[in-house]
Amino acid sequence: MALAPPTAMAEVVVRDAADREIALPDHASRIYAAGPPADVLLYTLKPEAMLGWVRAIPPNGRDLVLPATRDLPALGRLTGKGDTLNLEGLLAAQPQMILDYGNISPTYLDLSQRVTEQTGLPYLLLDGSFAKTPQTLRILGAALGVAERGETLGAQAEKIIADAEAMTAALGPDQRPKVYLARGPKGLESAAKGSIHSEIIERAGGINVAEGDSKSLLTVSPEQLHAWAPEIIITLDADFARNADLMPELAGIPAIENGRVYLAPQAPFGFIDAPPSVNRLLGLRWLSAKFHPDLAGEGLEADLRDFYRLFYQIELSDDQVKVLLGA
């Protein structure tokens, strides 16, 4: 299934997160994103190079991405849980390169090497850790021929991170709320400290109560959640947000008793993860306001508008702002 030998073209060489030198087509214009985090990264930097989405944009997010990208096909994912794309489908999309962004492990490295051997396509792996977001935006922007945009987004990412660090620097342990990230309709799936799915909780001045393997999602029992006694619950699931105070097995948990269960906005991409990509920058700002409204609550609406304008190239209407911040 190898591709025909490519015709001679200008190349740019990039050192990826696996410390490999990857030769990419200069100003690549047909890029396949291997998973949802790479989808968002590519959209923010060079949406015109997208071949499709891993998953189609849901109805509530269509007006929050550029019109030219709303109806791009759902191509399926090449990596991660629930991969849905085979190599025939990959080749049918006629990409010039593959982009992957997220956890770097031997599994992903092996996959990238196998895919390159079978297709002849360059496969770029980039580290999805939150701290490296500004660097990644600059590196990929330069590699894709949009260096100026990469620098602009990288500089804004640095500012968002620096602002959060400045806010949390003086907080004592007793000023940092205990936080639980609830996933699923029962809220019993979570992510431990250090996970790519939850790392912005502590950057926003909270303490993630979930203990366990930081490389994968956790299944949590109601008994364990009571023992952790979170003061704030952040959820990604609307059903859980609506019904948490009605679940007898969770009665008495401080966050639920005090009405501090917050549904994270999800459109066009999740604020916390879903996927864990550049969108987490906005999640950091939103979490800071939820955890410390006296320190970070002011200016959230303006920052939301600025982020959508700069990263997603969308001007939010007043109604859209209300929906997002009312979630």
Side-chain angles (χ1 to χ4, degrees):
M1 282 195 295
L3 291 174
T7 57
M9 64 176 66
E11 293 181 338
V12 56
V13 177
V14 180
R15 186 171 294 279
D16 76 354
D19 201 31
R20 305 175 301 176
E21 288 191 345
I22 307 295
L24 306 176
D26 192 20
H27 290 75
S29 60
R30 295 185 61 81
I31 303 172
Y32 174 73
D39 243 358
V40 179
L41 177 62
L42 180 57
Y43 173 80
T44 59
L45 278 170
K46 196 173 183 180
E48 65 272 22
M50 297 178 69
L51 295 175
W53 298 99
V54 172
R55 292 189 296 265
I57 293 291
N60 69 335
R62 286 177 57 82
D63 289 341
L64 298 175
V65 294
L66 289 167
T69 67
R70 290 172 189 167
D71 296 316
L72 288 173
L75 298 176
R77 63 189 301 160
L78 187 62
T79 63
K81 183 178 179 181
D83 53 292
T84 56
L85 181 75
N86 57 28
L87 289 181
E88 291 93 338
L90 172 64
L91 295 178
Q94 298 183 320
Q96 295 170 299
M97 61 171 283
I98 300 169
L99 171 66
D100 199 8
Y101 179 53
N103 285 324
I104 304 301
S105 68
T107 298
Y108 290 118
L109 178 58
D110 179 65
L111 174 66
S112 71
Q113 291 170 337
R114 285 189 287 110
V115 170
T116 293
E117 290 170 0
Q118 292 174 303
T119 66
L121 291 167
Y123 196 124
L124 185 67
L125 284 170
L126 296 177
D127 189 338
S129 63
F130 186 75
K132 293 185 178 179
T133 304
Q135 175 187 359
T136 298
L137 288 164
R138 290 182 170 111
I139 289 173
L140 186 60
L144 300 184
V146 288
E148 183 176 352
R149 179 159 177 79
E151 175 58 37
T152 297
L153 298 186
Q156 183 62 18
E158 280 183 339
K159 181 181 184 305
I160 292 170
I161 293 171
D163 286 349
E165 289 176 345
M167 184 205 71
T168 60
L171 295 175
D174 60 338
Q175 295 173 294
R176 296 172 181 263
K178 296 192 296 181
V179 181
Y180 174 73
L181 176 64
R183 298 167 60 106
K186 295 185 178 181
L188 297 178
E189 185 179 82
S190 192
K193 296 175 183 177
S195 168
I196 194 172
H197 299 280
S198 63
E199 58 181 310
I200 61 171
I201 287 175
E202 300 202 341
R203 287 183 170 273
I207 298 172
N208 184 358
V209 298
E211 302 281 356
D213 182 4
S214 66
K215 297 299 182 182
S216 59
L217 296 173
L218 311 174
T219 299
V220 179
S221 68
E223 293 76 17
Q224 180 62 75
L225 191 49
H226 276 278
W228 286 335
E231 299 163 286
I232 293 175
I233 292 177
I234 302 297
T235 182
L236 311 182
D237 191 280
D239 287 341
F240 178 78
R242 282 191 296 267
N243 300 319
D245 61 346
L246 303 176
M247 297 179 179
E249 67 273 23
L250 302 184
I253 291 173
I256 295 174
E257 293 296 299
N258 296 324
R260 300 196 73 184
V261 177
Y262 301 123
L263 175 63
Q266 301 290 311
F269 316 111
F271 277 30
I272 310 304
D273 65 353
S277 188
V278 179
N279 43 302
R280 291 179 296 165
L281 291 164
L282 184 54
L284 176 62
R285 178 67 182 90
W286 181 80
L287 283 178
S288 297
K290 291 298 184 185
F291 295 170
H292 305 285
D294 53 331
L295 298 176
E298 187 175 347
L300 178 60
E301 179 178 320
D303 291 343
L304 180 79
R305 291 181 185 274
D306 288 345
F307 189 92
Y308 274 72
R309 180 183 304 115
L310 181 59
F311 283 83
Y312 301 157
Q313 301 182 66
I314 291 293
E315 291 287 344
L316 290 174
S317 68
D318 291 345
D319 286 343
Q320 287 171 327
V321 170
K322 289 178 182 177
V323 169
L324 287 166
L325 294 185

